[in-house]
Amino acid sequence: MTEESFKNGQVLLIDKPLEWTSFQVVNKLRWHIKQRFKLKKIKVGHAGTLDPLATGLLILCTGNETKNIDSYQAQIKEYTGIFTVGATTPSYDLETSIDKTFEISHITPHLIEETTKQFIGVIQQKPPIFSAIKHEGKRLYDIARKGETAEIKSREITIFDFEITKIDLPNLHFRVVCSKGTYIRSLAFDFGKALNSGAHLTALRRTKIGDFSVDNAFSVESFIEKLTAE
């Protein structure tokens, strides 16, 4: 890790901690890179936001490599996590409190397996109201937090693989491989609805982006240690 390599362009794989925003990770690492090499400025950007309540792979690009951020964002992604059935929240995850509860006694392993098949392939998905998408110039989450509503259009996404890896009701552990633009929170909500119940996302981890794996990623602390030790 040299000043020249950061300016020419590095691809950094970071395992985002829980409750950090993706922007906080970028800011933290940019500050340490600037401090290490006494730079006034250095370009650092991330290739695909992770929600604060999610952990896992975040690709950061520095210097000239920031020009390629869009190509990294477009790659297929893999996630693991937990859907909790029997209840929904307005944000489709734990950011907001439960607003409705549902029966789950009818949910069987066979029903779960059959329901997952409905979501594999090219499907229409409506993003959550609690998202950064803009509607008439305003972020949807700003509209939602004011208690207001907005018409959200469905968008086409692709689910390449979707499996429930463990059933521990009310928790369903899952793995999903999907295209850019997929909201796993929306998948949780829609999956619960398809089960004739309700569901929300209670854990999420991004494990892969294209050929990049979280197994090869630095924690924020370990990256800083490596940077300052050299």
Side-chain angles (χ1 to χ4, degrees):
M1 293 184 181
T2 63
E3 177 182 340
E4 186 177 2
S5 69
F6 281 111
K7 287 181 176 178
N8 288 339
Q10 290 255 31
V11 176
L12 309 175
L13 306 184
I14 302 297
D15 187 348
K16 189 191 83 66
L18 186 66
E19 297 185 346
W20 283 49
T21 66
S22 301
F23 194 58
Q24 282 174 321
V25 175
V26 170
N27 278 347
K28 182 85 169 177
L29 270 55
R30 183 196 291 120
W31 186 87
H32 279 280
I33 292 167
K34 284 166 64 178
Q35 290 293 111
R36 172 66 180 82
F37 300 109
K38 298 180 173 57
L39 301 172
K40 286 189 176 180
K41 61 180 181 179
I42 180 76
K43 287 183 180 178
V44 182
H46 68 75
T49 303
L50 269 179
D51 289 338
L53 294 179
T55 65
L57 185 59
L58 195 64
I59 293 180
L60 268 59
C61 297
T62 73
N64 293 332
E65 192 63 26
T66 55
K67 297 172 184 176
N68 297 320
I69 278 177
D70 286 349
S71 67
Y72 294 116
Q73 285 181 325
Q75 294 186 35
I76 293 170
K77 299 170 181 68
E78 179 187 78
Y79 297 88
T80 60
I82 299 172
F83 298 152
T84 298
V85 296
T88 58
T89 72
S91 61
Y92 301 171
D93 65 2
L94 293 174
E95 183 182 340
T96 53
S97 301
I98 290 170
D99 59 352
K100 294 177 184 176
T101 57
F102 302 83
E103 184 58 56
I104 66 169
S105 60
H106 65 286
I107 298 177
T108 63
H110 177 72
L111 176 61
I112 291 167
E113 184 179 355
E114 289 302 305
T115 304
T116 59
K117 295 175 184 177
Q118 299 175 29
F119 292 89
I120 296 173
V122 178
I123 63 171
Q124 294 292 320
Q125 185 186 74
K126 191 174 287 189
I129 184 69
F130 281 80
S131 64
I133 294 171
K134 284 191 174 181
H135 175 77
E136 297 178 354
K138 297 178 182 178
R139 298 285 185 188
L140 283 177
Y141 55 64
D142 289 331
I143 295 171
R145 285 166 186 157
K146 290 178 181 176
E148 300 171 2
T149 58
E151 184 180 348
I152 305 171
K153 294 181 180 179
S154 296
R155 45 172 69 179
E156 189 176 274
I157 60 156
T158 304
I159 304 292
F160 300 98
D161 197 7
F162 177 35
E163 61 176 332
I164 300 302
T165 56
K166 180 182 176 183
I167 299 172
D168 182 22
L169 291 174
N171 296 325
L172 302 178
H173 297 248
F174 68 87
R175 184 184 72 88
V176 63
V177 181
C178 56
S179 65
K180 174 189 175 183
T182 302
Y183 278 88
I184 308 300
R185 286 181 287 145
S186 290
L187 181 61
F189 180 83
D190 294 340
F191 189 67
K193 198 171 181 180
L195 287 172
N196 196 27
S197 182
H200 59 291
L201 184 66
T202 50
L204 182 65
R205 182 163 176 76
R206 185 157 65 196
T207 47
K208 290 182 181 177
I209 300 174
D211 292 329
F212 299 102
S213 171
V214 73
D215 293 340
N216 301 317
F218 288 99
S219 67
V220 171
E221 294 79 9
S222 63
F223 176 80
I224 293 168
E225 286 175 10
K226 183 174 174 61
L227 178 69
T228 55
E230 293 185 353

